[in-house]
Structure formats: structure tokens, C-alpha cells
């Protein structure tokens, strides 16, 4: 998302719509990977109910460089 759109509620609205669709289709949980250096995204996902999965870190190659990712998951129940 472009910086000009940050902190306007668009990401939250998209997340809530996606969460409702996943619930409608019978999913009980969801997980995602986020770059460990992306503190803003990690804070967003934490506020949305995601928690880091212990020992899930991995290295991937992006643009020829190794970067660390973390896996986060969230229950869709309730």
C-alpha cells in the first residue's frame, strides 16, 4: 500500500472483509509470512489478532539479498 494511504483504515477494512469471507467459507484460521524488518506490517498484523509462530523464521532471497521472514497466524473463530 502506498504511504499516502497509510493510517486511513483501508488495510483494516480489507482485512475485515477478507476475514469474513474466510469465515463464510468455513476456515478456522489463517497464516501469513511477513518480512522481519517490516515493523509497520508486524504491528498491523498484531493489531488484527495475528501472533508470531515460534521458531518459524526463515531466510528467503529478495533482489539477490537474503532477508528474514516470520510466520504469523490468527484464529478466525469468534
Amino acid at each position: 500500500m502506498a504511504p499516502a494511504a497509510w493510517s486511513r483504515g483501508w488495510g483494516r477494512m480489507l482485512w475485515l472483509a477478507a476475514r469474513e469471507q474466510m469465515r463464510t467459507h468455513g476456515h478456522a484460521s489463517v497464516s501469513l509470512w511477513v518480512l522481519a524488518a517490516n515493523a509497520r506490517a508486524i504491528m498491523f498484523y498484531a493489531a488484527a489478532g495475528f501472533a508470531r509462530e515460534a521458531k518459524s523464521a526463515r531466510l528467503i532471497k529478495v533482489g539477490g539479498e537474503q532477508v528474514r521472514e516470520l510466520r504469523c497466524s490468527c484464529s478466525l473463530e469468534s
Side-chain angles (χ1 to χ4, degrees), residues 9-32 44-45 48 50 74-78:
W10 298 111
R12 178 114 176 111
M13 287 187 339
L14 287 168
W15 160 242
L16 293 174
R19 184 181 69 177
E20 191 55 37
Q21 284 295 309
M22 288 183 276
R23 285 179 175 170
T24 297
H25 291 282
H27 298 283
S29 65
V30 62
S31 66
L32 56 83
F44 173 85
Y45 294 128
F50 283 82
C74 178
S75 172
L76 299 175
E77 298 178 359
S78 71

Side-chain angles (χ1 to χ4, degrees), residues 35 58-69:
L35 296 177
R58 68 181 183 186
L59 291 175
I60 63 167
K61 194 173 267 192
V62 177
E65 293 186 35
Q66 293 279 345
V67 294
R68 190 168 164 247
E69 279 189 314

